[in-house]
Amino acid sequence: MKRILSILIVLTLLLGACSTALSQEENITLTVWTGPNWTGVYSDDDGTGSYTDFLSHVGQEFTKVHPNVNVEVSLIDNAQRTEKLAVAISSGTTPNVYFESDFLCNDYIHEGLLLPLNDLVEDADRADIDQSIWDLVTYNDDVYIYPFFAENGHLMVNLSLFEKAGALDMIPERDEHGIIHWTPEQFRACLEAVSTLEDVYPFGAFAGSSPGDTWTVMMIRMFGAEYISANGLTVGMNSPEGVQGLKYFGKLQEDGLLAPGVETLTLSDLFQMFFNNQLAVCYMNDLNYFNIDKGFAEGTMEQFDYAWAYFPHENGDPKCFTYVKGGMVFAGHGDYQDQMAKEFVKFLCAGEYTKASLNMLPIRQSVIGQMEDENLISVANSLEHSVPFYNKAAGYLSIRPEYLAMMQAYFSGQKDAETALADFAASAEQILAENAELSVIFSP
């Protein structure tokens, strides 16, 4: 009897081994989703490229190494992203690989939908990428997003308008990266100095839509307020420091130092005003910097001198924020597909293809060293001053509408600063607590 059992066990193991071997030889398709980043593979000089060119090219090269693996790339635009992923999750049809940003995929990590990628990260990669970037994509010591490039949030100053107002000397000196940093008092003094210009607004706030809300959050935090605590449960915006920051913002509006109509303006509106020389100081990131560069080159935008700036802070400390974009792997496609998806992410994010990050804002020192644009080099070198803005809180995306409602209520005069922030904190903390209970990160 024992001999029969031994034979059965051996046969079972052999069958299992054969099954594994067959699974590794069968043809599979990896589905890869991406948002709009850049067109063309490494460049799009003739303007005929598409947003999927780069990843499709990498997929073809991956297939040369793994002939049984086909890679299909799909573009998911920003307007469709949330709905498409919700449908894919509910129907069990998630992509194998998603190429997106950390904060947009934060909730999927908490929901246990993404695989840790620790086994992909080598010492050389850790040395090449600043620790501040790794911190943003690491949860409980597990890396969930393999970083490829960054989007960095700063302010930008139209120096030509300050020169026209005779106020260039009001702007504080730049640091070693060529970026202005200032206290709230210095910032307000600069806005007042340029307020004498006709048809120009010194600065702007916006509460007409959620996109870009991180910029106004950073402004409210200028006196040291925390947005969300490290445990992901508490909102610090209704602290005395947060109330002081929102009142500071409101005083700018009261004194005519902000573009009018804050409650209906969007970030895109302010960008357009800045591009048209109608706004002296504006929110800015590397993506919209490319629009300025392109506008100057094509002659569609009147040229002006400019400088990057950090957000004002009570001590004048340099503060900015960063979104990290890279590759992540959705779980649940079977061991072999999951492993090949991870292999593709490694192939994409740690090989020769990292030079494609020059189309955006590189995060690898080895690639930053290849940059030629001094303005972008400055921003790339400022990543070390990035501060956490949502602390990986479960349900962060769900509190953004609450924040928007708070901004609208305050800037339209419906609520004072204390009430607006207290109401926001109460509703946001309820959402955060509900999501934390379901999080595999906070409640494994």
Side-chain angles (χ1 to χ4, degrees):
M1 183 66 179
K2 289 182 179 179
R3 178 176 175 80
I4 294 173
L5 286 174
S6 297
I7 292 172
L8 288 173
I9 291 172
V10 170
L11 287 173
T12 300
L13 291 173
L14 287 173
L15 287 171
C18 291
S19 175
T20 300
L22 286 173
S23 69
Q24 292 180 1
E25 292 173 0
E26 66 184 7
N27 293 330
I28 64 169
T29 296
L30 296 181
T31 55
V32 179
W33 286 9
T34 182
N37 295 306
W38 67 89
T39 56
V41 177
Y42 291 107
S43 64
D44 188 18
D45 295 335
D46 62 1
T48 61
S50 70
Y51 288 116
T52 59
D53 286 348
F54 171 67
L55 288 174
S56 294
H57 170 73
V58 176
Q60 291 167 7
E61 295 300 309
F62 187 76
T63 298
K64 292 178 182 178
V65 180
H66 303 278
N68 64 313
V69 182
N70 181 47
V71 179
E72 292 184 354
V73 182
S74 297
L75 175 65
I76 310 299
D77 67 35
N78 296 334
Q80 298 175 312
R81 179 182 57 238
T82 302
E83 181 180 355
K84 277 189 171 290
L85 277 167
V87 171
I89 291 167
S90 64
S91 63
T93 58
T94 55
N96 296 98
V97 174
Y98 195 29
F99 192 72
E100 249 305 343
S101 73
D102 60 320
F103 92 103
L104 287 174
C105 295
N106 172 66
D107 285 352
Y108 306 131
I109 297 171
H110 284 284
E111 292 166 15
L113 297 173
L114 299 181
L115 291 175
L117 306 177
N118 299 37
D119 53 323
L120 304 184
V121 182
E122 299 177 1
D123 290 344
D125 301 314
R126 289 196 177 277
D128 202 20
I129 299 173
D130 191 83
Q131 185 59 42
S132 64
I133 300 296
W134 290 113
D135 289 344
L136 290 172
V137 298
T138 303
Y139 293 64
N140 291 348
D141 299 324
D142 286 328
V143 173
Y144 282 91
I145 302 167
Y146 207 108
F148 192 83
F149 69 88
E151 294 178 12
N152 202 244
H154 284 76
L155 301 178
M156 183 171 277
V157 180
N158 184 322
L159 298 175
S160 296
L161 289 177
F162 274 85
E163 182 177 24
K164 185 177 180 181
L168 267 179
D169 60 342
M170 294 291 296
I171 299 175
E173 292 184 5
R174 307 182 202 184
D175 67 6
E176 70 275 15
H177 301 314
I179 302 177
I180 299 164
H181 51 103
W182 36 21
T183 64
E185 293 76 15
Q186 290 173 320
F187 183 73
R188 182 186 169 90
C190 286
L191 299 185
E192 290 175 342
V194 80
S195 65
T196 57
L197 295 177
E198 292 186 7
D199 301 321
V200 172
Y201 299 108
F203 190 46
F206 56 96
S209 63
S210 286
D213 54 3
T214 312
W215 272 282
T216 55
V217 168
M218 291 291 291
M219 290 297 298
I220 295 172
R221 294 177 63 189
M222 69 173 73
F223 295 103
E226 189 175 48
Y227 188 21
I228 302 174
S229 63
N231 66 8
L233 295 174
T234 306
V235 173
M237 296 283 275
N238 62 328
S239 63
E241 295 82 6
V243 170
Q244 184 181 6
L246 186 56
K247 284 184 174 179
Y248 176 102
F249 232 161
K251 183 63 173 169
L252 295 182
Q253 181 191 39
E254 179 183 333
D255 294 343
L257 298 176
L258 298 182
V262 171
E263 60 274 16
T264 60
L265 285 173
T266 67
L267 178 59
S268 294
D269 294 330
L270 296 181
F271 282 146
Q272 197 56 53
M273 292 171 68
F274 187 74
F275 298 156
N276 292 335
N277 283 275
Q278 296 172 317
L279 204 64
V281 181
C282 188
Y283 313 98
M284 191 54 59
N285 60 4
D286 46 290
L287 297 181
N288 284 280
Y289 163 76
F290 287 124
N291 290 332
I292 295 175
D293 199 40
K294 181 179 179 181
F296 288 172
E298 295 179 349
T300 57
M301 192 182 300
E302 181 182 343
Q303 296 210 16
F304 54 85
D305 292 330
Y306 53 82
W308 292 94
Y310 293 108
F311 292 91
H313 191 265
E314 61 177 344
N315 299 319
D317 295 336
K319 302 289 183 183
C320 59
F321 67 85
T322 301
Y323 301 151
V324 179
K325 282 199 174 185
M328 59 202 81
V329 176
F330 274 93
H333 295 274
D335 291 345
Y336 182 56
Q337 280 207 34
D338 287 348
Q339 185 57 42
M340 293 310 295
K342 291 172 69 173
E343 291 290 338
F344 178 74
V345 168
K346 176 70 173 180
F347 189 80
L348 161 69
C349 293
E352 63 177 292
Y353 306 110
T354 58
K355 65 183 180 182
S357 63
L358 288 166
N359 286 289
M360 309 300 284
L361 188 66
I363 41 88
R364 286 181 174 271
Q365 291 301 316
S366 58
V367 182
I368 292 173
Q370 302 174 41
M371 298 174 71
E372 297 180 356
D373 189 314
E374 294 295 332
N375 288 295
L376 286 180
I377 292 173
S378 295
V379 175
N381 285 326
S382 73
L383 294 176
E384 61 182 317
H385 299 304
S386 297
V387 297
F389 59 90
Y390 67 99
N391 272 333
K392 305 169 189 169
Y396 164 70
L397 293 179
S398 298
I399 73 170
R400 295 179 78 193
E402 305 298 324
Y403 175 81
L404 181 65
M406 179 277 293
M407 291 285 286
Q408 291 173 340
Y410 177 69
F411 281 102
S412 65
Q414 298 175 43
K415 296 180 181 180
D416 59 25
E418 290 85 354
T419 304
L421 287 172
D423 290 350
F424 164 63
S427 59
E429 287 176 359
Q430 181 177 348
I431 293 171
L432 294 174
E434 292 171 353
N435 282 273
E437 289 183 2
L438 302 174
S439 167
V440 300
I441 303 297
F442 292 151
S443 304

